[in-house]
Amino acid sequence: MQRVKVVVVGAGVVGLSTAVRIAEALPYCSVTVIAEKFSPNTTSDGAAGILLPTEFPDIPLDRQQRWFKETFDHLLAIAYSPQAADAGVYLSSGFHIFKDVPCEKKPFWADLVFGFRNMSDKEMKLFPNHKFGQAFTTLKCECLSYLPWLEKRFRAVGGQILQEKVTDLHKLALNYDAIINCSGVGSHFLVKNEEVYPVRGQMLMVNAPWLKNFVRDADGKTYIYPGIRYVNIGGTRQVDDWRMEVDKEDSEGILERCSRLEPSLRVAQVMGEWVGLRPGRANPRVEREYLHVQGRQVPLVHNYGHGGCGITLSWGTALDALNLLRQSLFDKPPQARL
Amino acid sequence: MSLHCLRLVRARHTLKTCLGQCRFLFGGTKKFDMKVCIIGAGVIGLSTAQSIYQHFHGRVTPLNIEVYADVFTPLTTSDGAAGLWQPYLYDKGNVQETKWNKETFDYLLSFLSSPDSIQMGIFLQSGYNLCTEPMEDPSFKDAVLGFRQLTKRELDMFPGYSFGWFNTALMIEGKTYLPWLMDWLGQRKVQFYQRKIGSFQELVDSGADVIINCSGVRSGDLQPDPELKPGRGQIIKVDAPWLKHWILTHDSSSGVYNSPYIIPGSCLVTVGGVFQVGNWNLQNSSVDHKRIWEAACKLEPSLQHARKVEDWTGLRPSRSKVRLERETIRSGSHVFEVIHNYGHGGFGLTIHRGCAEEAARLFEQILEQKGLLAHSKSRL
């Protein structure tokens, strides 16, 4: 029997997660990942990988909770298995601090992480310039390890990898029965969709192995995320900024702000700098349309625009994408390609 | 030492005593050689030297502080310890110890706001205390940061454990802290002598005015103490940098520290769980190694692929309670003062500053009795 040919565009965390879920759940599909960039050159690879959602305005909260919980539970099982080191997934505890007391003191994901609570007065003394804080334990997922781990899992169920830049989805549809678009910020060009825009983030990798707890300023521009081989400190949130080069002033600003939060960083050695473009969008786009190609209706499932929450929502949005694909193959079984 | 030398030393000592008495009678400034000899260069010995210096270097002149030990960093018991600040769960009525523990925590915490904290080996780390059954709140719940009970979801990560706590505590790594202390003391002209002291008398004969006994597990060699026993511990140091929490387990049936623990450090992770009372064997045991490793991998499955770096064995100076007190010893016609500061079990790093400050208080009592302080009001 002819297998249904599915192609996933993009090999970042969303692309690979989606590809794995489809390949494992739908044995009647043969799945190919096609992308210009692979690990270690994707946006996901540089990201610190702390699981920490933000609230999107137009998606029902229960769906956002489901996206996060699905991802959290999946990664937690890995963190507590012998594969944790290989996959780069582990528990991370820390502090989320606010310069002013927020109106919304309990975010929608508070019960999905571990031990969410307000910080005590003694803990707040560690951050004299901040008035309020939350402490919790979440997960950290380092894509430099996780993406190769996902790729191994993908190949183990017969997944194929193609290194090629996709510029035309209609052309791609000539050779496949279904397309899943996980091209991240690339969707800006690929889908001619200006709703997705870059949010530039710069980050430093610092040698400070004594740092174990994360610290994040709620404004999103100052954070310290201890990792396996280095600590990620950052950051920036520059909208519509496509620059991939390191900006020296940004680096200085990051070091200064982070050292104020964590004085021991002043004696830490900077090992590297990195820039990534978050695929910004008002809300992640997880929906299906159809491409009309040579008399065929080819389902095109979009799964992009996760902003700074790609890793955080990867497994959950991948499930939605899988379900959209499954439903469309059922609704409109693929016709023979000419 | 030759008889001649011995006579000279004895004569000098007698002269000193006479001068002391004269000063007491006639008042005036103290130009008197006060020699404090500290036995032991682990965290207790070095921190006691520091407290003595901090409180008295301006008030007693000249103040000579000497540290004698058979081993110095990195070969002391303090060097091998993982360095997690955490007392035993319960102090069994030794409320002084809880006070000294908290004093140490607050003291170390105060350094976090400066970059010096790294040179001292101090940093924060959060973690889990896991129990096989519900337990009363531990002695340290108010000293640490963010103490709370574990939720059921968290406990699901640790099969076999049904109760526990989470908090943020401090790490104080002996391998870094001790060199920092030695540096600090050396800059202030404290003298170090590497030699095993056979008896208190030996130091008295060479001119010690006050002896501070911080000799840890081998205090029994200087003065028999049936309450002091070695609490042998063995650990495995592992490369597992993805681990960011310490995990301690408590099994009332196996006893304190005889249950697995995993404590990430600034470089390597310390894996342990052995506390053998009465065992003096400093050799690593492969039986213990296997037992520790299997228990730790069950507790933390991700360890299975971690690289083991080295094993180490240390003898905790375990005692029913810390011996921190003065003793006046008569030897022939001489009377000399000893301050004992030993028996800190598995919590030496945890309690060191509180004990050092208390030892300094005891030292002040001695100085006052000898009339060596210009002001009689205690500054401590």
Side-chain angles (χ1 to χ4, degrees):
Chain A
M1 196 195 91
Q2 272 273 347
R3 280 160 92 213
V4 175
K5 285 184 71 178
V6 178
V7 66
V8 176
V9 180
V13 69
V14 174
L16 284 181
S17 299
T18 307
V20 166
R21 293 209 82 158
I22 294 172
E24 288 181 349
L26 306 179
Y28 57 84
C29 289
S30 81
V31 189
T32 302
V33 166
I34 186 169
E36 183 193 0
K37 300 214 171 101
F38 288 83
S39 179
N41 298 312
T42 71
T43 308
S44 311
D45 288 292
I50 281 276
L51 256 66
L52 190 55
T54 48
E55 191 173 319
F56 296 108
D58 306 308
I59 302 198
L61 269 186
D62 67 288
R63 193 176 186 200
Q64 295 188 55
Q65 279 174 326
R66 211 174 11 92
W67 281 347
F68 180 54
K69 185 176 193 310
E70 180 80 11
T71 313
F72 192 93
D73 290 345
H74 157 78
L75 291 174
L76 183 66
I78 297 173
Y80 253 79
S81 79
Q83 310 209 41
D86 229 16
V89 182
Y90 50 96
L91 289 173
S92 182
S93 295
F95 305 116
H96 198 198
I97 56 181
F98 298 73
K99 290 205 180 72
D100 298 296
V101 182
C103 315
E104 183 65 71
K105 294 223 185 95
K106 208 177 173 211
F108 75 86
W109 43 268
D111 293 329
L112 298 173
V113 294
F114 289 132
F116 185 95
R117 60 175 174 85
N118 292 342
M119 284 164 68
S120 64
D121 292 335
K122 203 168 168 187
E123 288 172 311
M124 286 313 298
K125 284 207 179 73
L126 297 169
F127 307 106
N129 295 324
H130 291 74
K131 296 209 182 82
F132 178 78
Q134 297 153 343
F136 52 89
T137 300
T138 182
L139 289 161
K140 193 171 190 291
C141 172
E142 297 192 3
C143 282
L144 277 174
S145 302
Y146 186 56
L147 293 191
W149 184 86
L150 276 177
E151 196 183 305
K152 242 195 324 198
R153 190 164 152 171
F154 179 59
R155 287 187 194 273
V157 286
Q160 302 287 309
I161 306 267
L162 261 182
Q163 206 253 317
E164 198 182 299
K165 180 172 175 155
V166 174
T167 50
D168 188 335
L169 287 175
H170 279 85
K171 237 164 113 182
L172 195 62
L174 291 174
N175 299 315
Y176 292 96
D177 300 312
I179 303 176
I180 322 289
N181 171 28
C182 306
S183 54
V185 77
S187 278
H188 180 93
F189 305 103
L190 191 59
V191 185
K192 308 284 185 290
N193 186 341
E194 250 119 64
E195 285 173 13
V196 71
Y197 50 87
V199 180
R200 181 181 178 282
Q202 187 165 314
M203 206 169 55
L204 272 53
M205 288 92 87
V206 157
N207 186 23
W210 58 85
L211 292 181
K212 308 291 183 188
N213 282 2
F214 71 79
V215 181
R216 180 183 193 265
D217 190 314
D219 71 10
K221 296 199 194 120
T222 307
Y223 55 76
I224 299 164
Y225 293 135
I228 296 177
R229 293 289 173 197
Y230 46 72
V231 178
N232 297 73
I233 64 171
T236 64
R237 302 191 84 82
Q238 296 141 327
V239 175
D240 279 327
D241 191 338
W242 289 95
R243 289 176 303 145
M244 290 298 294
E245 310 76 43
V246 169
D247 182 319
K248 279 292 164 220
E249 266 185 49
D250 284 342
S251 290
E252 281 162 24
I254 289 166
L255 262 171
E256 181 49 46
R257 289 195 306 278
C258 291
S259 298
R260 249 183 274 135
L261 285 186
E262 178 51 64
S264 70
L265 280 173
R266 292 191 201 276
V267 302
Q269 189 202 8
V270 175
M271 290 160 68
E273 293 154 302
W274 180 83
V275 176
L277 307 179
R278 301 174 187 83
R281 199 172 183 275
N283 305 279
R285 186 180 182 198
V286 189
E287 61 191 20
R288 184 224 51 218
E289 59 171 307
Y290 285 98
L291 290 180
H292 304 280
V293 174
Q294 290 179 346
R296 290 158 54 227
Q297 296 218 61
V298 178
L300 168 59
V301 176
H302 294 289
N303 189 6
Y304 67 86
H306 300 67
C309 297
I311 294 156
T312 296
L313 303 176
S314 53
W315 203 246
T317 49
L319 180 59
D320 272 16
L322 160 65
N323 287 334
L324 284 169
L325 172 69
R326 199 201 317 249
Q327 190 62 43
S328 65
L329 291 177
F330 182 78
D331 290 343
K332 298 189 198 212
Q335 297 155 279
R337 272 168 272 118
L338 293 167
Chain B
M1 206 187 263
S2 75
L3 201 58
H4 175 70
C5 290
L6 208 55
R7 282 204 198 101
L8 276 175
V9 165
R10 288 248 168 87
R12 177 167 164 268
H13 192 82
T14 315
L15 180 63
K16 273 165 60 168
T17 320
C18 283
L19 279 175
Q21 287 170 336
C22 288
R23 202 176 62 249
F24 178 73
L25 290 171
F26 301 115
T29 48
K30 4 155 221 354
K31 286 227 189 299
F32 185 103
D33 199 350
M34 162 52 71
K35 187 151 94 154
V36 182
C37 293
I38 294 166
I39 308 175
V43 69
I44 300 298
L46 296 182
S47 60
T48 303
Q50 182 184 40
S51 285
I52 301 276
Y53 182 93
Q54 282 174 327
H55 288 288
F56 300 106
H57 84 275
R59 300 164 71 197
V60 177
T61 328
L63 176 65
N64 293 321
I65 303 176
E66 298 178 352
V67 175
Y68 292 81
D70 54 358
V71 289
F72 285 81
T73 179
L75 302 173
T76 71
T77 310
S78 310
D79 287 288
L84 171 65
W85 184 100
Q86 186 168 296
Y88 294 171
L89 292 186
Y90 308 108
D91 60 26
K92 298 187 174 130
N94 295 322
V95 292
Q96 281 279 55
E97 289 179 11
T98 297
K99 174 171 154 276
W100 293 330
N101 286 327
K102 184 175 193 312
E103 201 181 320
T104 307
F105 189 92
D106 291 340
Y107 167 73
L108 296 173
L109 192 69
S110 70
F111 287 98
L112 277 187
S113 52
S114 100
D116 284 346
S117 57
I118 293 319
Q119 265 118 46
M120 295 171 74
I122 302 172
F123 53 94
L124 287 174
Q125 188 169 202
S126 305
Y128 303 86
N129 273 292
L130 304 173
C131 309
T132 47
E133 53 182 352
M135 309 267 271
E136 281 209 25
D137 281 349
S139 63
F140 51 83
K141 71 177 241 256
D142 294 323
V144 296
L145 300 175
F147 179 88
R148 64 173 174 83
Q149 285 203 3
L150 287 174
T151 61
K152 180 166 185 308
R153 272 180 74 215
E154 288 174 299
L155 287 164
D156 285 343
M157 292 194 287
F158 306 107
Y161 297 96
S162 57
F163 184 83
W165 308 293
F166 184 93
N167 62 259
T168 302
L170 282 167
M171 296 287 295
I172 169 79
E173 295 189 316
K175 276 203 161 67
T176 307
Y177 191 53
L178 263 54
W180 181 86
L181 275 171
M182 301 248 337
D183 215 53
W184 190 96
L185 293 168
Q187 280 176 25
R188 289 154 181 83
K189 310 279 185 276
V190 169
Q191 308 285 310
F192 298 102
Y193 298 95
Q194 203 212 327
R195 79 166 201 261
K196 187 174 166 79
I197 300 298
S199 65
F200 297 134
Q201 188 65 50
E202 194 185 315
L203 287 173
V204 170
D205 290 344
S206 63
D209 296 301
V210 176
I211 296 171
I212 312 193
N213 174 22
C214 306
S215 52
V217 76
R218 276 158 295 140
S219 248
D221 292 350
L222 291 167
Q223 188 185 87
D225 180 349
E227 284 186 59
L228 177 68
K229 302 188 176 100
R232 182 181 175 280
Q234 185 170 317
I235 54 161
I236 309 170
K237 289 246 191 249
V238 162
D239 184 25
W242 59 89
L243 294 179
K244 307 290 183 191
H245 299 82
W246 41 264
I247 308 175
L248 267 55
T249 64
H250 306 274
D251 186 346
S252 37
S253 63
S254 49
V256 72
Y257 291 131
N258 249 334
S259 190
Y261 62 79
I262 298 166
I263 302 173
S266 62
C267 200
L268 297 171
V269 177
T270 301
V271 174
V274 156
F275 195 125
Q276 296 151 347
V277 181
N279 186 347
W280 283 98
N281 193 351
L282 274 169
Q283 300 272 41
N284 295 316
S285 144
S286 45
V287 171
D288 286 339
H289 175 107
K290 189 159 177 283
R291 201 161 58 79
I292 291 167
W293 189 246
E294 281 171 6
C297 286
K298 223 173 124 200
L299 183 59
E300 177 57 62
S302 72
L303 272 180
Q304 284 170 36
H305 299 302
R307 183 176 64 96
K308 291 182 236 178
V309 175
E310 61 180 354
D311 286 56
W312 180 82
T313 294
L315 307 175
R316 301 176 186 84
S318 73
R319 203 173 183 274
S320 53
K321 62 176 188 162
V322 173
R323 187 177 183 199
L324 181 41
E325 61 190 13
R326 275 177 62 185
E327 187 182 4
T328 308
I329 299 183
R330 299 194 135 64
S331 163
S333 57
H334 299 297
V335 164
F336 60 91
E337 294 291 334
V338 177
I339 297 173
H340 295 287
N341 188 4
Y342 69 85
H344 305 80
F347 51 92
L349 288 158
T350 297
I351 203 175
H352 76 273
R353 177 70 179 183
C355 288
E357 292 287 278
E358 177 65 22
R361 264 185 288 270
L362 294 174
F363 183 66
E364 186 174 47
Q365 276 177 23
I366 296 173
L367 292 177
E368 278 171 348
Q369 280 174 1
K370 287 182 190 276
L372 295 174
L373 284 180
H375 313 283
S376 55
K377 232 193 318 189
S378 171
R379 249 177 36 172
L380 283 170

